[in-house]
Amino acid sequence: MLIVKFLQIVLLLIFSSKSTVADKKTQPSKTTYIIQMDPSTMPSSFNDQLQWYASSLRSISDSAEMLYAYKHAIQGFSTRLTNEEAELLAKQPGVLSAIPETVYKLHTTRTPQFLGLEKGSTNYLPATEKESDVIIGVIDTGVWPELQSFNDAGLGPVPSRWKGECETEKDFNASSCNRKLVGARYFLKGREAAAGTINGTEESRSPRDTLGHGTHTSSTAGGSIVANASLFGYAFGKARGMATKARLAIYKACWEYGCFTTDVLAAIEKAIEDGVNIISISLGADHPTDYYEDVIAIGSFKAAAHGIFVSAAAGNGGPYPKSLSNMAPWITNVGAGAIDRDFPVYVRLGNGKNYTGASLYSGEPLPGYPLPLVYAGNVSSPPSALCDEHTLIPSKVKGKIVICEQGFINSVDTGFQVNKTGGLGMILINTKEDGEEIFAKAYLAPAASLGYKAGDELKKYALSDRNPRATLTFGGTKVHVQPSPVVAAFSSRGPNPLTPGILKPDLIAPGKNILAGWTHAAGPSELDYDTRRVSFNIISGTSMSCPHVSGLGAMLKGAHPDWSPATIRSALMTTAYTTDKNGAALLDFATGKPATPFDFGAGHVDPAAALDPGLVYDATTNDYLNFLCALDYTSSQIKQATGQDFTCDSRKKYRVEDLNYPSFAVNMKTASGSGKPMSVQHTRILTNVGEPGTYKVSVSSPSSSVKIEVEPTTLCFSKMYEKKSFTVTFNTWASMPSGTTTFGHLEWSDGKHKVVSPIALGWT
């Protein structure tokens, strides 16, 4: 459904700005723009910036109106303009940029135990009272406030510094907020300007979540403990967010047609103004954009400058390389892993072969005896393996199990079409492109999902056997599945397509088949005709992994209130692990082979270790400004990206390699044959956040052809927050083909702490 809606909004963006008047010549099309202004150039004749913005806008259009005025996320406003008007406005004094509206996509229990947050878990971590001072701002599709995930039992008064509001409408009143859900706002001006007025019947013009995504992410980040939670009995147990005592502030900026940048920026603006400590963003663009044109990067820089930790989804573009979004180094970029829980369905064929798929079907089971099995391509007209609506032939499907191939429509709908045509069950098989990764779905009729290899064998059997038959047996919930964790195939991958010298993603967290809260306005399948209503749903995506890290960031902020956003990210990264529960290297589900830092960054998040990392790689606003100088950004571009007046010093050599980041992305040039080694040097500064101690370095070299030298090899810390610098020099005589990559790590240890940084080395 989300794909269909996204295609609809593309059409809406093309056509909605055109007047209903037939004469297009008198009503040229308009586009929404975010206008960045330079307040230092405001003429003294204006009393305030808002007055100046209005005057600048009136100078090029009598009819254009401001949608939002911004002062925290950026200095400026958003408005609807023709191309000609936008060009004129961009030439006005004080205008830094005019960024066209884009639409972001949403990057769409067991994890507390898996992460060690529950009693009985190794390294059990109880919530602290300080955690209740932390406020998590979630920018998403809103919230369903009546769920027990948002009850405020046991919480004290709302922190006095909180400045936010609970915006009320007819379906969202003041009592919808409480000491857990401390604020809720909604932003729709950009969405309505581009795609038309929301009538309130399908979507709520309020903070209420009618889609489910925002309720899922917010309850994952900071939901209260709920006993006996499940989806139709699946994943039964105690559900809870990562930071159960933290407060939640909801910023609804995403709608059925997507997340419009003007609304997203307005949400970041209010989150900063309201006083949140954490911002969770489970959405992003499809294609990389320079930092000075990336609205999330721009708003997040201002948030980080205010001491706010920003966690964002890496995207669902995997397993393809360079598929990341939200890559700015001041954003913690989160990929997805699969945990040790499955929802198996067992497929037994008439030839005795058995396969295991996945399903969340909870209705009446199929008969225990084998049923006739058919391939959709042979029982449809016109022939189609996708089981599209109206293609299946009832007389050839009735009473049978139908094999359908994965397509672009909701797989629950595929099963429904089979059932509606008379089929008793469905087996949905992956194509070669889909690979082996399968998702548990809350099917309305008996159905199973199978990976490509098993599905291919199943199809061959159905097409070759004279009397093909099959049975489906639903296995409920299975835990302690190994290997775990593994990198989810859908999780977006590096290398960083925008800045290869910064390794992204930063780390991974649970993101596949995650149980969390759900709206009562939609069924678990998100299909319009799905009338089932649940308080919890199981879905997958980096949208699910991002709020895990947002909640863990809140936990760290509660334990260490003075930690900066960069310190929190460093603690999470340098303590992450890169082996599964059995000690073997983390696997990539897409290939079945060991994953690399391009897949998992620093590794899988480890909350217990992150609370006491020993040393951290901190970074300040000035560090990021120097980083932008290293990218050869102009003063104007730096101001667009950061809002800061900063001029790069022409006498200084700025290097991406000098950004104090907790990982190393090393770019070597192919040797020239001069006999001299190629050499790249990185500098870093470590800050002690633990007891005094002496740390010694060790290096796992990415390649025998690369020599790594660290100077000094020992760092002695005598007090808290003491800083020590070191350099890492990478030397090679090897002439490697361009595109060759290899991986290793660098570790500082005092015998108790291990401060580990991944190394990704490539030749260009």
Side-chain angles (χ1 to χ4, degrees):
M1 184 175 75
L2 290 176
I3 292 174
V4 173
K5 292 300 182 184
F6 181 74
L7 293 174
Q8 289 175 339
I9 195 54
V10 171
L11 295 174
L12 281 167
L13 284 172
I14 294 172
F15 296 112
S16 67
S17 58
K18 300 188 181 203
S19 171
T20 54
V21 180
D23 186 358
K24 296 179 183 178
K25 293 182 180 179
T26 61
Q27 297 290 337
S29 62
K30 291 189 175 185
T31 300
T32 304
Y33 289 87
I34 296 172
I35 311 299
Q36 278 189 287
M37 304 291 286
D38 182 353
S40 66
T41 65
M42 184 179 76
S44 58
S45 57
F46 295 105
N47 296 324
D48 57 46
Q49 292 180 14
L50 193 61
Q51 187 183 49
W52 177 41
Y53 299 162
S55 176
S56 299
L57 190 55
R58 284 196 303 272
S59 71
I60 56 95
S61 173
D62 293 330
S63 60
E65 297 180 355
M66 274 188 280
L67 299 175
Y68 296 105
Y70 310 101
K71 63 179 180 179
H72 297 292
I74 66 164
Q75 301 284 332
F77 59 95
S78 55
T79 185
R80 297 275 290 173
L81 301 171
T82 65
N83 291 341
E84 183 181 4
E85 289 169 342
E87 291 174 3
L88 288 173
L89 185 59
K91 297 175 182 177
Q92 294 290 316
V95 177
L96 287 171
S97 67
I99 304 174
E101 172 89 274
T102 57
V103 184
Y104 291 143
K105 286 183 181 180
L106 294 166
H107 290 155
T108 310
T109 231
R110 176 72 183 160
T111 53
Q113 293 97 329
F114 187 75
L115 293 173
L117 301 178
E118 282 290 299
K119 286 183 178 179
S121 302
T122 304
N123 300 322
Y124 162 57
L125 296 176
T128 65
E129 289 305 319
K130 289 182 180 179
E131 193 177 279
S132 66
D133 292 331
V134 180
I135 302 168
I136 305 171
V138 181
I139 298 175
D140 214 295
T141 64
V143 68
W144 194 267
E146 290 80 13
L147 296 184
Q148 283 300 301
S149 294
F150 306 114
N151 82 78
D152 62 359
L155 289 175
V158 175
S160 59
R161 61 182 169 78
W162 173 244
K163 300 176 184 177
E165 294 181 12
C166 189
E167 295 181 349
T168 60
E169 294 291 344
K170 63 180 182 180
D171 65 345
F172 201 95
N173 53 43
S175 63
S176 296
C177 295
N178 55 24
R179 290 171 299 181
K180 162 60 74 174
L181 202 61
V182 298
R185 299 181 183 271
Y186 67 104
F187 307 86
L188 47 63
K189 292 179 181 179
R191 187 277 185 217
E192 290 195 329
T197 302
I198 296 172
N199 60 24
T201 56
E202 292 185 0
E203 286 192 272
S204 171
R205 302 180 90 258
S206 80
R208 184 169 291 280
D209 180 14
T210 54
L211 300 177
H213 193 275
T215 301
H216 201 279
T217 57
S218 55
S219 60
T220 297
S224 300
I225 296 172
V226 182
N228 302 323
S230 75
L231 172 64
F232 305 132
Y234 288 99
F236 181 84
K238 182 166 60 176
R240 52 160 289 176
M242 298 298 98
T244 58
K245 289 187 176 292
R247 319 300 177 126
L248 289 166
I250 305 303
Y251 299 88
K252 181 178 177 180
C254 295
W255 305 83
E256 193 168 15
Y257 289 128
C259 314
F260 292 75
T261 49
T262 47
D263 296 328
V264 171
L265 190 63
I268 297 174
E269 165 92 3
K270 280 300 181 183
I272 295 171
E273 183 179 302
D274 290 345
V276 304
N277 304 101
I278 312 290
I279 292 180
S280 187
I281 304 177
S282 288
L283 53 106
D286 282 335
H287 304 289
T289 306
D290 280 314
Y291 303 124
Y292 58 85
E293 294 180 331
D294 183 338
V295 168
I296 290 178
I298 293 168
S300 296
F301 184 94
K302 282 297 189 71
H306 281 80
I308 299 169
F309 174 79
V310 181
S311 170
N316 297 337
Y320 303 105
K322 298 184 179 181
S323 53
L324 295 161
S325 59
N326 301 317
M327 292 159 289
W330 46 86
I331 296 174
T332 299
N333 181 275
V334 188
I339 63 171
D340 63 343
R341 180 179 62 195
D342 278 345
F343 307 101
V345 54
Y346 305 107
V347 180
R348 182 176 177 83
L349 304 184
N351 61 7
K353 291 188 176 181
N354 297 280
Y355 304 97
T356 301
S359 180
L360 295 169
Y361 174 67
S362 61
E364 288 294 320
L366 289 173
Y369 51 83
L371 295 171
L373 180 70
V374 293
Y375 174 61
N378 287 349
V379 292
S380 56
S381 180
S384 170
L386 301 181
C387 298
D388 294 330
E389 187 175 10
H390 306 310
T391 62
L392 293 171
I393 302 170
S395 61
K396 295 185 177 182
V397 168
K398 186 176 181 180
K400 299 179 176 66
I401 294 176
V402 182
I403 302 169
C404 307
E405 291 188 8
Q406 188 73 255
F408 292 105
I409 64 173
N410 189 316
S411 57
V412 176
D413 187 52
T414 305
F416 178 75
Q417 298 304 327
V418 170
N419 186 252
K420 188 172 70 171
T421 314
L424 291 183
M426 176 193 73
I427 302 174
L428 185 70
I429 62 174
N430 282 358
T431 64
K432 188 174 184 178
E433 185 179 50
D434 298 316
E436 298 307 312
E437 189 162 59
I438 54 178
F439 300 95
K441 296 288 186 178
Y443 290 108
L444 291 157
S449 300
L450 278 184
Y452 169 69
K453 292 179 181 177
D456 190 52
E457 292 184 19
L458 183 73
K459 183 168 68 172
K460 289 177 180 176
Y461 164 71
L463 294 175
S464 62
D465 195 277
R466 296 179 61 184
N467 185 29
R469 292 181 173 269
T471 60
L472 300 181
T473 305
F474 298 92
T477 303
K478 185 179 180 181
V479 296
H480 305 302
V481 175
Q482 298 301 330
S484 69
V486 297
V487 179
F490 62 78
S491 186
S492 287
R493 314 301 173 94
N496 189 327
L498 196 57
T499 312
I502 301 297
L503 181 63
K504 293 283 183 172
D506 289 319
L507 73 172
I508 63 171
K512 184 178 177 184
N513 291 338
I514 303 301
L515 178 78
W518 195 249
T519 176
H520 285 184
S525 69
E526 304 176 65
L527 294 167
D528 292 339
Y529 54 77
D530 186 353
T531 59
R532 299 172 297 177
R533 293 298 178 261
V534 297
S535 294
F536 292 90
N537 198 9
I538 295 171
I539 56 177
S540 303
T542 55
S543 281
M544 285 60 257
S545 54
C546 168
H548 279 85
V549 169
S550 305
L552 296 176
M555 185 184 72
L556 295 184
K557 187 68 174 177
H560 305 284
D562 55 346
W563 278 12
S564 70
T567 293
I568 293 172
R569 176 178 61 237
S570 177
L572 291 167
M573 288 178 64
T574 62
T575 58
Y577 55 87
T578 58
T579 57
D580 64 26
K581 298 297 182 181
N582 294 323
L586 288 183
L587 294 181
D588 179 358
F589 203 100
T591 63
K593 299 177 181 178
T596 76
F598 284 161
D599 307 319
F600 56 62
H604 192 283
V605 67
D606 184 348
L611 278 171
D612 181 22
L615 306 175
V616 295
Y617 296 83
D618 199 5
T620 66
T621 299
N622 278 339
D623 291 318
Y624 298 130
L625 293 171
N626 290 335
F627 161 77
L628 295 176
C629 287
L631 300 182
D632 293 326
Y633 275 27
T634 65
S635 296
S636 177
Q637 290 169 336
I638 290 175
K639 189 154 193 175
Q640 291 173 47
T642 68
Q644 305 277 329
D645 286 308
F646 190 82
T647 301
C648 304
D649 188 343
S650 60
R651 298 165 299 178
K652 183 177 178 180
K653 184 177 181 180
Y654 296 94
R655 303 169 67 246
V656 171
E657 292 86 354
D658 293 336
L659 180 63
N660 201 38
Y661 216 71
S663 57
F664 297 87
V666 186
N667 297 298
M668 309 290 291
K669 292 183 179 179
T670 301
S672 62
S674 64
K676 295 181 180 180
M678 295 301 302
S679 181
V680 175
Q681 189 176 85
H682 288 237
T683 63
R684 295 290 190 272
I685 299 172
L686 282 166
T687 303
N688 180 38
V689 292
E691 297 296 322
T694 299
Y695 286 78
K696 294 183 179 181
V697 74
S698 62
V699 178
S700 168
S701 179
S703 169
S704 59
S705 62
V706 178
K707 181 181 179 181
I708 302 176
E709 298 175 340
V710 182
E711 180 62 36
T713 58
T714 301
L715 297 175
C716 298
F717 295 91
S718 60
K719 58 184 178 181
M720 181 78 80
Y721 299 120
E722 185 178 4
K723 296 179 182 293
K724 299 281 186 179
S725 65
F726 67 96
T727 62
V728 188
T729 304
F730 301 86
N731 296 302
T732 183
W733 284 262
S735 180
M736 305 293 278
S738 181
T740 301
T741 56
T742 185
F743 306 94
H745 67 267
L746 180 149
E747 176 185 307
W748 290 95
S749 178
D750 64 349
K752 175 183 177 183
H753 305 92
K754 291 183 177 181
V755 187
V756 184
S757 295
I759 297 171
L761 193 149
W763 278 263
T764 59

